[in-house]
Amino acid sequence: MHRSRFDSGLSTSSLTLAVPARRLFFFSSSYATMDKMENGLRSVDTGSIRTLSSSHIDDESSLGSDSEINGFASERQTDKYGFIGGAQKYSEDTAQDIPTAVLRQREVKWLDMLSHWDKWMIKRFNKVRLRCQKGIPPALRGRAWLYLSGGKVKREQNQGKFQELDSQPGDPKWVDVIEKDLHRQFPFHEMFVSRGGHGQQDLFRVLKAYTLYRPEEGYCQAQAPIAAVLLMHMPAEDAFWGLVQICEKYLPGYYSPGLEAIQLDGEILFALLRRVSPLAFRHLEKHKIDPILYMTEWFMCAFSRTLPWASVLRVWDMFLCDGVKIIFRVGLVLLKCMLGTREKLKACQGQYETMELLRAIEPRYMQEGFLVREILEVPVTARDVEREHHIQLKRWKKNRGELNFKPPPRMHGARIIMLAEPPRRQDLQQNPTIVLEVPQTTPQLQKGKEEKKSKKKKSMKKSQPTEEIPNPYPLPSDPQSSSSELPAPPPGNSVMPEAAAQTETDSVGEQKTPPTDLPSAKESTLQRSTQSLSSTEQDTYL
Amino acid sequence: MQNNHHKEHLYKILVIGDLGVGKTSIIKRYVHHNFSPNYRATIGVDFALKVLNWDQETVRLQLWDIAGQERFGNMTRVYYREAMGAFIVFDVTRPASFEAVTKWKEDLDSKLTLANGKHVATVLLANKCDQGRDVLTNNGIKMEQFCQENGFVGWYETSAKENINIDEAANCLVKHIIASEKDMLQSEVPDTITPQLEKDKGGTCSSCFRSQ
């Protein structure tokens, strides 16, 4: 049941290795397998094994106690993201499935990007962005997020820091509050479902470490969902540095005492809405609905508690690449969809009715494919956000005086973060997180299989014909003609808006560059028949 | 409608108190009649609507579930606006949450007053009473005194889990809200106009008409 989360990726080949059915283990082993595949040799780092043994995790704590506490034991069925229930559980209506073969090719590309990260970020950032927009393959999402956010560099430059913070007891004031929140984060996710289970333990470690790292900021309740989402994808130390980056670079001041930054962003959102949907703007203005009434949870949790899970992941892929403008765009899309027509407004005359409506967003507007396309169409750039920030800050100072807590400047996306704190070469090295000390006796067979599989994968790259698998869910920037050859795009997804008002992406130009990362040895017949576009352009689908 | 045969009341009620005292659970119990240990921590504000029959009139309660962490206190001014009543909740097993009650009451009174300058009706809830009464061990008389001194119209030992006293507490609050509303209306009489519909106009206004 755990494996389902990683099924879609390279990690499937690692299943044989991960004997104890435990998330963290699977996670680590999926890391390791991929590293192994890349380097062609086995890793010697024991980092996450230590993590495992030091936190006294056993199957009892993560699974056995559920029945007592939550009564889920009998009908426990996990979706591919680890949810066993709740509104965010996977449903076919809200997500789009990518064919495994497409995922495999995306993984190859991401592995290549991750191993030459600085070059890609500096020279071909538009391509990185485009790939984030298409969705990071699940098997590599954790690692990609860590690289995008700069958490990876931060971790390498502060080696031992997390361990140091982790070993300290923490201020009782914060420990007390954090402990009260542990069981209240994604209670329907199997990782966080059981009290004292490994998910809740790691959540505690990460949040407590942050209060020690930034004692003047302490802990804000909205940090817990952020940390939990990260923990679903990476070990505690990495999640800690990811959290640090989000709190300090992406959303500075959001969680600080006074919560001024989030209120300021509420004003910015409202001002941007005037341009995006004057109708919605006027409605909210008329009913005196202060932005913090509807956007606090959206923004502070980066929509992690609002959207269906597939959409959360896609939004985070883009958010960590491009920064807060993505969050603004999601907010604007939802407001526009829910309040953007006269008909809809007729149905919600009043403040309370409007807020009810915004709390019950229609699923079709949050559907993965729809939402991503809409986000890419919103004409709001980082510069727009900054400009509006300047205006609203002036207004704030005029009406309410100086900010009590002056946050560091906001950084709009992965590239700027990297340029601001250039990494050393060794900071970007991929360090495998687990050693697979496979005993030479019985599991020999399994190991053999394993190697064969990964070898097969490697050779596939070269010798096997690269089959063209069109993405059934193209982005607006994808070439139209080839996508019209798709077998049968699902209803609702076939409509593709004009070549994307992707304000800052120049992906169109990008597509003409032949791909360097995917040698196309033999072209499939399908491809040859697609004469309107060169085969290399197909690359952008994958 | 015209003869006030079936009057509708709409009241905004705040539910405030320290984090983790059970505000969300109380609301879910009251509105949805159930309890779960799986509620998420409230971030910002949440809402629920409860409809009551009250002396052949309909009372709609908008319950505003407000995040308990101190730093959200900076937003409470916006959340409190136009509320008519409030519950302040503490956890009987956690003395610190009781100590925070006066702080919450002060915050409420400093940011919210009724049109007649009075404070809104507020009921104190000693929640999680199924788990012991550590904070209340002294006795109820002291609580009565505490309520008087701090301007609460009443207090209840409640349990969202066991469904104890929540309806009673809500009824108490509604009773006081209605009383204070009458009080306000009386003091406001000179300024009040009573709209009356003329029979021959058929009860539709011109703008409704236009849109059809």
Side-chain angles (χ1 to χ4, degrees), chain A residues 361-388:
Chain A
I361 307 230
E362 285 176 56
R364 63 186 164 127
Y365 299 133
M366 302 189 288
Q367 194 271 345
E368 184 185 350
F370 174 86
L371 184 63
V372 170
R373 277 196 309 278
E374 289 292 315
I375 292 168
L376 294 176
E377 296 245 310
V378 180
V380 166
T381 63
R383 194 172 301 154
D384 294 331
V385 173
E386 278 307 312
R387 193 183 304 128
E388 205 52 61

PDB file of all heavy atoms in Angstrom, chain A residues 361-388:
ATOM      1  N   ILE A 361     -15.169  25.768  -3.227  1.00  0.00           N
ATOM      2  CA  ILE A 361     -14.853  25.987  -4.632  1.00  0.00           C
ATOM      3  C   ILE A 361     -15.282  24.772  -5.453  1.00  0.00           C
ATOM      4  O   ILE A 361     -15.054  23.638  -5.052  1.00  0.00           O
ATOM      5  CB  ILE A 361     -13.346  26.209  -4.797  1.00  0.00           C
ATOM      6  CG1 ILE A 361     -12.954  27.324  -3.839  1.00  0.00           C
ATOM      7  CG2 ILE A 361     -12.971  26.461  -6.262  1.00  0.00           C
ATOM      8  CD1 ILE A 361     -12.184  28.419  -4.306  1.00  0.00           C
ATOM      9  N   GLU A 362     -15.909  25.043  -6.560  1.00  0.00           N
ATOM     10  CA  GLU A 362     -16.365  23.935  -7.404  1.00  0.00           C
ATOM     11  C   GLU A 362     -15.170  23.113  -7.895  1.00  0.00           C
ATOM     12  O   GLU A 362     -14.179  23.681  -8.361  1.00  0.00           O
ATOM     13  CB  GLU A 362     -17.113  24.490  -8.619  1.00  0.00           C
ATOM     14  CG  GLU A 362     -18.504  24.985  -8.289  1.00  0.00           C
ATOM     15  CD  GLU A 362     -19.146  25.618  -9.513  1.00  0.00           C
ATOM     16  OE1 GLU A 362     -19.230  24.935 -10.544  1.00  0.00           O
ATOM     17  OE2 GLU A 362     -19.534  26.797  -9.428  1.00  0.00           O
ATOM     18  N   PRO A 363     -15.285  21.785  -7.787  1.00  0.00           N
ATOM     19  CA  PRO A 363     -14.170  20.908  -8.153  1.00  0.00           C
ATOM     20  C   PRO A 363     -13.652  21.135  -9.570  1.00  0.00           C
ATOM     21  O   PRO A 363     -12.458  21.056  -9.816  1.00  0.00           O
ATOM     22  CB  PRO A 363     -14.755  19.501  -8.028  1.00  0.00           C
ATOM     23  CG  PRO A 363     -15.876  19.649  -7.055  1.00  0.00           C
ATOM     24  CD  PRO A 363     -16.407  21.033  -7.250  1.00  0.00           C
ATOM     25  N   ARG A 364     -14.542  21.498 -10.479  1.00  0.00           N
ATOM     26  CA  ARG A 364     -14.061  21.632 -11.862  1.00  0.00           C
ATOM     27  C   ARG A 364     -13.030  22.752 -12.007  1.00  0.00           C
ATOM     28  O   ARG A 364     -12.184  22.714 -12.886  1.00  0.00           O
ATOM     29  CB  ARG A 364     -15.232  21.856 -12.819  1.00  0.00           C
ATOM     30  CG  ARG A 364     -16.001  23.128 -12.561  1.00  0.00           C
ATOM     31  CD  ARG A 364     -17.234  23.181 -13.459  1.00  0.00           C
ATOM     32  NE  ARG A 364     -18.180  24.170 -12.984  1.00  0.00           N
ATOM     33  CZ  ARG A 364     -18.677  25.128 -13.748  1.00  0.00           C
ATOM     34  NH1 ARG A 364     -18.328  25.203 -15.013  1.00  0.00           N
ATOM     35  NH2 ARG A 364     -19.547  25.985 -13.258  1.00  0.00           N
ATOM     36  N   TYR A 365     -13.109  23.744 -11.122  1.00  0.00           N
ATOM     37  CA  TYR A 365     -12.135  24.829 -11.204  1.00  0.00           C
ATOM     38  C   TYR A 365     -10.797  24.446 -10.571  1.00  0.00           C
ATOM     39  O   TYR A 365      -9.810  25.136 -10.744  1.00  0.00           O
ATOM     40  CB  TYR A 365     -12.671  26.088 -10.520  1.00  0.00           C
ATOM     41  CG  TYR A 365     -13.929  26.610 -11.162  1.00  0.00           C
ATOM     42  CD1 TYR A 365     -15.026  26.963 -10.381  1.00  0.00           C
ATOM     43  CD2 TYR A 365     -14.011  26.747 -12.544  1.00  0.00           C
ATOM     44  CE1 TYR A 365     -16.190  27.442 -10.965  1.00  0.00           C
ATOM     45  CE2 TYR A 365     -15.169  27.225 -13.138  1.00  0.00           C
ATOM     46  CZ  TYR A 365     -16.253  27.567 -12.346  1.00  0.00           C
ATOM     47  OH  TYR A 365     -17.394  28.030 -12.926  1.00  0.00           O
ATOM     48  N   MET A 366     -10.822  23.380  -9.803  1.00  0.00           N
ATOM     49  CA  MET A 366      -9.583  22.972  -9.148  1.00  0.00           C
ATOM     50  C   MET A 366      -8.973  21.751  -9.825  1.00  0.00           C
ATOM     51  O   MET A 366      -7.952  21.248  -9.390  1.00  0.00           O
ATOM     52  CB  MET A 366      -9.843  22.655  -7.671  1.00  0.00           C
ATOM     53  CG  MET A 366     -10.438  23.820  -6.894  1.00  0.00           C
ATOM     54  SD  MET A 366     -10.482  23.519  -5.128  1.00  0.00           S
ATOM     55  CE  MET A 366     -11.789  22.299  -5.015  1.00  0.00           C
ATOM     56  N   GLN A 367      -9.637  21.289 -10.859  1.00  0.00           N
ATOM     57  CA  GLN A 367      -9.143  20.113 -11.568  1.00  0.00           C
ATOM     58  C   GLN A 367      -7.747  20.415 -12.110  1.00  0.00           C
ATOM     59  O   GLN A 367      -7.504  21.491 -12.666  1.00  0.00           O
ATOM     60  CB  GLN A 367     -10.122  19.762 -12.692  1.00  0.00           C
ATOM     61  CG  GLN A 367      -9.940  18.404 -13.309  1.00  0.00           C
ATOM     62  CD  GLN A 367      -8.973  18.415 -14.471  1.00  0.00           C
ATOM     63  OE1 GLN A 367      -8.637  19.459 -15.014  1.00  0.00           O
ATOM     64  NE2 GLN A 367      -8.493  17.235 -14.834  1.00  0.00           N
ATOM     65  N   GLU A 368      -6.867  19.474 -11.909  1.00  0.00           N
ATOM     66  CA  GLU A 368      -5.448  19.664 -12.219  1.00  0.00           C
ATOM     67  C   GLU A 368      -5.194  20.358 -13.566  1.00  0.00           C
ATOM     68  O   GLU A 368      -4.575  21.415 -13.623  1.00  0.00           O
ATOM     69  CB  GLU A 368      -4.766  18.290 -12.182  1.00  0.00           C
ATOM     70  CG  GLU A 368      -3.278  18.338 -12.390  1.00  0.00           C
ATOM     71  CD  GLU A 368      -2.678  16.934 -12.469  1.00  0.00           C
ATOM     72  OE1 GLU A 368      -3.389  15.961 -12.168  1.00  0.00           O
ATOM     73  OE2 GLU A 368      -1.512  16.822 -12.851  1.00  0.00           O
ATOM     74  N   GLY A 369      -5.690  19.744 -14.630  1.00  0.00           N
ATOM     75  CA  GLY A 369      -5.394  20.269 -15.961  1.00  0.00           C
ATOM     76  C   GLY A 369      -5.974  21.655 -16.170  1.00  0.00           C
ATOM     77  O   GLY A 369      -5.299  22.565 -16.656  1.00  0.00           O
ATOM     78  N   PHE A 370      -7.219  21.818 -15.760  1.00  0.00           N
ATOM     79  CA  PHE A 370      -7.879  23.112 -15.904  1.00  0.00           C
ATOM     80  C   PHE A 370      -7.119  24.188 -15.137  1.00  0.00           C
ATOM     81  O   PHE A 370      -6.784  25.244 -15.672  1.00  0.00           O
ATOM     82  CB  PHE A 370      -9.321  23.027 -15.382  1.00  0.00           C
ATOM     83  CG  PHE A 370     -10.044  24.340 -15.365  1.00  0.00           C
ATOM     84  CD1 PHE A 370     -10.702  24.800 -16.491  1.00  0.00           C
ATOM     85  CD2 PHE A 370     -10.041  25.131 -14.220  1.00  0.00           C
ATOM     86  CE1 PHE A 370     -11.354  26.025 -16.485  1.00  0.00           C
ATOM     87  CE2 PHE A 370     -10.685  26.364 -14.197  1.00  0.00           C
ATOM     88  CZ  PHE A 370     -11.353  26.805 -15.340  1.00  0.00           C
ATOM     89  N   LEU A 371      -6.836  23.878 -13.892  1.00  0.00           N
ATOM     90  CA  LEU A 371      -6.215  24.876 -13.021  1.00  0.00           C
ATOM     91  C   LEU A 371      -4.847  25.298 -13.554  1.00  0.00           C
ATOM     92  O   LEU A 371      -4.537  26.491 -13.620  1.00  0.00           O
ATOM     93  CB  LEU A 371      -6.097  24.326 -11.594  1.00  0.00           C
ATOM     94  CG  LEU A 371      -5.550  25.299 -10.552  1.00  0.00           C
ATOM     95  CD1 LEU A 371      -6.482  26.496 -10.374  1.00  0.00           C
ATOM     96  CD2 LEU A 371      -5.332  24.608  -9.213  1.00  0.00           C
ATOM     97  N   VAL A 372      -4.032  24.330 -13.940  1.00  0.00           N
ATOM     98  CA  VAL A 372      -2.691  24.665 -14.419  1.00  0.00           C
ATOM     99  C   VAL A 372      -2.775  25.560 -15.653  1.00  0.00           C
ATOM    100  O   VAL A 372      -2.077  26.569 -15.753  1.00  0.00           O
ATOM    101  CB  VAL A 372      -1.871  23.387 -14.707  1.00  0.00           C
ATOM    102  CG1 VAL A 372      -0.570  23.728 -15.425  1.00  0.00           C
ATOM    103  CG2 VAL A 372      -1.575  22.637 -13.410  1.00  0.00           C
ATOM    104  N   ARG A 373      -3.666  25.212 -16.567  1.00  0.00           N
ATOM    105  CA  ARG A 373      -3.794  26.055 -17.765  1.00  0.00           C
ATOM    106  C   ARG A 373      -4.237  27.464 -17.406  1.00  0.00           C
ATOM    107  O   ARG A 373      -3.720  28.442 -17.924  1.00  0.00           O
ATOM    108  CB  ARG A 373      -4.784  25.432 -18.741  1.00  0.00           C
ATOM    109  CG  ARG A 373      -4.166  24.366 -19.622  1.00  0.00           C
ATOM    110  CD  ARG A 373      -5.059  24.054 -20.824  1.00  0.00           C
ATOM    111  NE  ARG A 373      -6.432  23.778 -20.430  1.00  0.00           N
ATOM    112  CZ  ARG A 373      -6.848  22.610 -19.991  1.00  0.00           C
ATOM    113  NH1 ARG A 373      -6.008  21.608 -19.873  1.00  0.00           N
ATOM    114  NH2 ARG A 373      -8.106  22.414 -19.651  1.00  0.00           N
ATOM    115  N   GLU A 374      -5.185  27.550 -16.500  1.00  0.00           N
ATOM    116  CA  GLU A 374      -5.662  28.872 -16.106  1.00  0.00           C
ATOM    117  C   GLU A 374      -4.552  29.690 -15.436  1.00  0.00           C
ATOM    118  O   GLU A 374      -4.416  30.883 -15.669  1.00  0.00           O
ATOM    119  CB  GLU A 374      -6.855  28.736 -15.148  1.00  0.00           C
ATOM    120  CG  GLU A 374      -8.127  28.239 -15.791  1.00  0.00           C
ATOM    121  CD  GLU A 374      -8.708  29.257 -16.772  1.00  0.00           C
ATOM    122  OE1 GLU A 374      -8.760  30.451 -16.415  1.00  0.00           O
ATOM    123  OE2 GLU A 374      -9.094  28.859 -17.888  1.00  0.00           O
ATOM    124  N   ILE A 375      -3.785  29.011 -14.582  1.00  0.00           N
ATOM    125  CA  ILE A 375      -2.696  29.706 -13.883  1.00  0.00           C
ATOM    126  C   ILE A 375      -1.727  30.313 -14.890  1.00  0.00           C
ATOM    127  O   ILE A 375      -1.296  31.457 -14.755  1.00  0.00           O
ATOM    128  CB  ILE A 375      -1.940  28.731 -12.949  1.00  0.00           C
ATOM    129  CG1 ILE A 375      -2.833  28.289 -11.785  1.00  0.00           C
ATOM    130  CG2 ILE A 375      -0.670  29.382 -12.398  1.00  0.00           C
ATOM    131  CD1 ILE A 375      -2.279  27.116 -10.995  1.00  0.00           C
ATOM    132  N   LEU A 376      -1.414  29.531 -15.921  1.00  0.00           N
ATOM    133  CA  LEU A 376      -0.451  30.007 -16.911  1.00  0.00           C
ATOM    134  C   LEU A 376      -0.994  31.169 -17.731  1.00  0.00           C
ATOM    135  O   LEU A 376      -0.243  31.907 -18.356  1.00  0.00           O
ATOM    136  CB  LEU A 376      -0.039  28.850 -17.832  1.00  0.00           C
ATOM    137  CG  LEU A 376       0.742  27.733 -17.133  1.00  0.00           C
ATOM    138  CD1 LEU A 376       1.033  26.593 -18.099  1.00  0.00           C
ATOM    139  CD2 LEU A 376       2.038  28.253 -16.535  1.00  0.00           C
ATOM    140  N   GLU A 377      -2.293  31.334 -17.706  1.00  0.00           N
ATOM    141  CA  GLU A 377      -2.902  32.405 -18.498  1.00  0.00           C
ATOM    142  C   GLU A 377      -3.035  33.724 -17.747  1.00  0.00           C
ATOM    143  O   GLU A 377      -3.262  34.756 -18.363  1.00  0.00           O
ATOM    144  CB  GLU A 377      -4.306  31.963 -18.925  1.00  0.00           C
ATOM    145  CG  GLU A 377      -4.299  30.768 -19.832  1.00  0.00           C
ATOM    146  CD  GLU A 377      -4.832  31.111 -21.194  1.00  0.00           C
ATOM    147  OE1 GLU A 377      -5.917  31.708 -21.254  1.00  0.00           O
ATOM    148  OE2 GLU A 377      -4.150  30.824 -22.177  1.00  0.00           O
ATOM    149  N   VAL A 378      -2.950  33.673 -16.445  1.00  0.00           N
ATOM    150  CA  VAL A 378      -3.156  34.912 -15.685  1.00  0.00           C
ATOM    151  C   VAL A 378      -2.012  35.879 -15.962  1.00  0.00           C
ATOM    152  O   VAL A 378      -0.845  35.541 -15.777  1.00  0.00           O
ATOM    153  CB  VAL A 378      -3.230  34.636 -14.166  1.00  0.00           C
ATOM    154  CG1 VAL A 378      -3.434  35.934 -13.394  1.00  0.00           C
ATOM    155  CG2 VAL A 378      -4.337  33.646 -13.857  1.00  0.00           C
ATOM    156  N   PRO A 379      -2.331  37.074 -16.429  1.00  0.00           N
ATOM    157  CA  PRO A 379      -1.265  37.997 -16.808  1.00  0.00           C
ATOM    158  C   PRO A 379      -0.681  38.741 -15.611  1.00  0.00           C
ATOM    159  O   PRO A 379      -0.725  39.959 -15.539  1.00  0.00           O
ATOM    160  CB  PRO A 379      -1.980  38.962 -17.761  1.00  0.00           C
ATOM    161  CG  PRO A 379      -3.394  38.975 -17.281  1.00  0.00           C
ATOM    162  CD  PRO A 379      -3.661  37.627 -16.680  1.00  0.00           C
ATOM    163  N   VAL A 380      -0.176  38.003 -14.658  1.00  0.00           N
ATOM    164  CA  VAL A 380       0.428  38.644 -13.493  1.00  0.00           C
ATOM    165  C   VAL A 380       1.857  38.146 -13.362  1.00  0.00           C
ATOM    166  O   VAL A 380       2.102  36.952 -13.206  1.00  0.00           O
ATOM    167  CB  VAL A 380      -0.379  38.315 -12.210  1.00  0.00           C
ATOM    168  CG1 VAL A 380       0.424  38.684 -10.976  1.00  0.00           C
ATOM    169  CG2 VAL A 380      -1.708  39.057 -12.213  1.00  0.00           C
ATOM    170  N   THR A 381       2.791  39.075 -13.453  1.00  0.00           N
ATOM    171  CA  THR A 381       4.203  38.717 -13.387  1.00  0.00           C
ATOM    172  C   THR A 381       4.772  39.066 -12.014  1.00  0.00           C
ATOM    173  O   THR A 381       4.125  39.753 -11.218  1.00  0.00           O
ATOM    174  CB  THR A 381       5.007  39.504 -14.435  1.00  0.00           C
ATOM    175  OG1 THR A 381       4.904  40.895 -14.092  1.00  0.00           O
ATOM    176  CG2 THR A 381       4.461  39.284 -15.830  1.00  0.00           C
ATOM    177  N   ALA A 382       5.982  38.600 -11.793  1.00  0.00           N
ATOM    178  CA  ALA A 382       6.669  38.942 -10.545  1.00  0.00           C
ATOM    179  C   ALA A 382       6.787  40.462 -10.418  1.00  0.00           C
ATOM    180  O   ALA A 382       6.651  41.018  -9.330  1.00  0.00           O
ATOM    181  CB  ALA A 382       8.042  38.289 -10.511  1.00  0.00           C
ATOM    182  N   ARG A 383       7.015  41.104 -11.547  1.00  0.00           N
ATOM    183  CA  ARG A 383       7.137  42.566 -11.497  1.00  0.00           C
ATOM    184  C   ARG A 383       5.822  43.223 -11.080  1.00  0.00           C
ATOM    185  O   ARG A 383       5.815  44.174 -10.311  1.00  0.00           O
ATOM    186  CB  ARG A 383       7.596  43.090 -12.868  1.00  0.00           C
ATOM    187  CG  ARG A 383       8.058  44.528 -12.815  1.00  0.00           C
ATOM    188  CD  ARG A 383       8.673  44.972 -14.115  1.00  0.00           C
ATOM    189  NE  ARG A 383       9.827  44.143 -14.487  1.00  0.00           N
ATOM    190  CZ  ARG A 383      10.239  43.977 -15.738  1.00  0.00           C
ATOM    191  NH1 ARG A 383       9.603  44.554 -16.722  1.00  0.00           N
ATOM    192  NH2 ARG A 383      11.293  43.233 -16.001  1.00  0.00           N
ATOM    193  N   ASP A 384       4.721  42.666 -11.588  1.00  0.00           N
ATOM    194  CA  ASP A 384       3.413  43.199 -11.173  1.00  0.00           C
ATOM    195  C   ASP A 384       3.240  43.075  -9.662  1.00  0.00           C
ATOM    196  O   ASP A 384       2.752  43.986  -9.000  1.00  0.00           O
ATOM    197  CB  ASP A 384       2.273  42.425 -11.858  1.00  0.00           C
ATOM    198  CG  ASP A 384       2.271  42.653 -13.368  1.00  0.00           C
ATOM    199  OD1 ASP A 384       2.703  43.735 -13.785  1.00  0.00           O
ATOM    200  OD2 ASP A 384       1.842  41.737 -14.082  1.00  0.00           O
ATOM    201  N   VAL A 385       3.636  41.925  -9.147  1.00  0.00           N
ATOM    202  CA  VAL A 385       3.505  41.712  -7.706  1.00  0.00           C
ATOM    203  C   VAL A 385       4.349  42.720  -6.950  1.00  0.00           C
ATOM    204  O   VAL A 385       3.905  43.338  -5.984  1.00  0.00           O
ATOM    205  CB  VAL A 385       3.910  40.264  -7.323  1.00  0.00           C
ATOM    206  CG1 VAL A 385       3.934  40.089  -5.817  1.00  0.00           C
ATOM    207  CG2 VAL A 385       2.961  39.246  -7.956  1.00  0.00           C
ATOM    208  N   GLU A 386       5.580  42.931  -7.411  1.00  0.00           N
ATOM    209  CA  GLU A 386       6.469  43.877  -6.740  1.00  0.00           C
ATOM    210  C   GLU A 386       5.924  45.306  -6.809  1.00  0.00           C
ATOM    211  O   GLU A 386       5.962  46.052  -5.831  1.00  0.00           O
ATOM    212  CB  GLU A 386       7.871  43.829  -7.366  1.00  0.00           C
ATOM    213  CG  GLU A 386       8.729  42.693  -6.849  1.00  0.00           C
ATOM    214  CD  GLU A 386       8.824  42.651  -5.324  1.00  0.00           C
ATOM    215  OE1 GLU A 386       9.082  43.703  -4.701  1.00  0.00           O
ATOM    216  OE2 GLU A 386       8.613  41.566  -4.745  1.00  0.00           O
ATOM    217  N   ARG A 387       5.419  45.652  -7.973  1.00  0.00           N
ATOM    218  CA  ARG A 387       4.885  47.003  -8.137  1.00  0.00           C
ATOM    219  C   ARG A 387       3.727  47.235  -7.165  1.00  0.00           C
ATOM    220  O   ARG A 387       3.662  48.231  -6.461  1.00  0.00           O
ATOM    221  CB  ARG A 387       4.426  47.212  -9.582  1.00  0.00           C
ATOM    222  CG  ARG A 387       4.160  48.669  -9.926  1.00  0.00           C
ATOM    223  CD  ARG A 387       3.634  48.829 -11.344  1.00  0.00           C
ATOM    224  NE  ARG A 387       4.541  48.246 -12.334  1.00  0.00           N
ATOM    225  CZ  ARG A 387       4.182  47.370 -13.270  1.00  0.00           C
ATOM    226  NH1 ARG A 387       2.936  46.964 -13.347  1.00  0.00           N
ATOM    227  NH2 ARG A 387       5.060  46.900 -14.134  1.00  0.00           N
ATOM    228  N   GLU A 388       2.843  46.256  -7.131  1.00  0.00           N
ATOM    229  CA  GLU A 388       1.685  46.375  -6.254  1.00  0.00           C
ATOM    230  C   GLU A 388       2.111  46.338  -4.779  1.00  0.00           C
ATOM    231  O   GLU A 388       1.525  47.008  -3.943  1.00  0.00           O
ATOM    232  CB  GLU A 388       0.696  45.234  -6.575  1.00  0.00           C
ATOM    233  CG  GLU A 388      -0.729  45.532  -6.214  1.00  0.00           C
ATOM    234  CD  GLU A 388      -1.251  46.859  -6.769  1.00  0.00           C
ATOM    235  OE1 GLU A 388      -1.284  47.057  -7.991  1.00  0.00           O
ATOM    236  OE2 GLU A 388      -1.611  47.705  -5.930  1.00  0.00           O
TER     237      GLU A 388
END
